[in-house]
Amino acid sequence: MTFQLVRATENDLPFIMATERREGYDAFVGRWDEPRHRQALSDGAHAYFVGTEGSVPIGFVILRGWASPERVTLVKRIAVVAPGQGQGRILLAAAFDRVFVETDAYRLCIGLFPDNNRARRAYEAVGFTAEGIARGSAFFNGVHRDELVMAQLRPEWEKRRSG
């Protein structure tokens, strides 16, 4: 099968919403209702991507600050249908390539809960560096939680890509 990363459309929202609602994801992934997704999909500040193997969707990525004047893009949400099979890393690497190729972003960052070791390993595998803990920065399920901030800078991405 051939992996592809394509820009998502409103037709992809049922898949995105079903994926972010998979069992166990409520503690790590987050979810929005349909009106919130529709707003983000059309606001110009978010970029939605769906990864496919052949014609089968395997996951999605939502990026915030797409082509922002500050040149900083945030990975808002990423989820795969079948975690633990390497699809997340493929999806991440493809999404990050799109950010650095299609925009002039200098910094790509993500916040994750410090106890989400699977996600941390995946982010490190595609070039992210842990920068520290942002205390109480995530308001998730009605609770303020700490986030581990990780980032990749354009020069680091360029070095990995050429090496």
Side-chain angles (χ1 to χ4, degrees):
M1 293 279 177
T2 303
F3 175 80
Q4 283 191 305
L5 187 71
V6 297
R7 286 297 286 259
T9 69
E10 287 190 5
N11 294 336
D12 296 306
L13 287 180
F15 166 75
I16 291 167
M17 292 177 64
T19 302
E20 68 187 5
R21 285 163 174 72
R22 293 183 57 82
E23 185 175 340
Y25 282 17
D26 56 338
F28 295 109
V29 175
R31 57 181 64 148
W32 287 338
D33 60 19
E34 187 173 341
R36 178 68 182 99
H37 274 296
R38 286 185 183 283
Q39 176 195 0
L41 190 61
S42 66
D43 69 8
H46 290 82
Y48 278 58
F49 293 94
V50 171
T52 60
E53 286 282 345
S55 62
V56 178
I58 63 164
F60 73 91
V61 179
I62 302 172
L63 302 166
R64 185 172 68 202
W66 183 258
S68 76
E70 297 82 14
R71 299 178 60 198
V72 175
T73 300
L74 170 73
V75 179
K76 177 61 181 161
R77 188 166 303 147
I78 179 167
V80 293
V81 173
Q85 298 180 13
Q87 295 174 333
R89 290 180 187 186
I90 293 167
L91 184 64
L92 283 167
F96 303 159
D97 286 348
R98 294 286 290 265
V99 169
F100 288 122
V101 169
E102 295 181 19
T103 75
D104 63 353
Y106 183 79
R107 175 182 168 85
L108 180 61
C109 58
I110 190 164
L112 60 145
F113 299 128
D115 59 346
N116 190 346
N117 292 319
R118 174 183 276 173
R120 181 176 180 162
R121 285 191 303 274
Y123 302 145
E124 287 172 340
V126 295
F128 273 69
T129 301
E131 295 181 330
I133 302 293
R135 297 177 304 134
S137 68
F139 188 67
F140 196 83
N141 291 334
V143 177
H144 287 276
R145 293 183 60 188
D146 294 348
E147 284 185 297
L148 171 63
V149 177
M150 299 184 78
Q152 184 168 174
L153 304 180
R154 179 176 288 277
E156 297 163 346
W157 172 81
E158 289 170 346
K159 184 177 180 182
R160 286 179 63 88
R161 193 168 188 224
S162 66

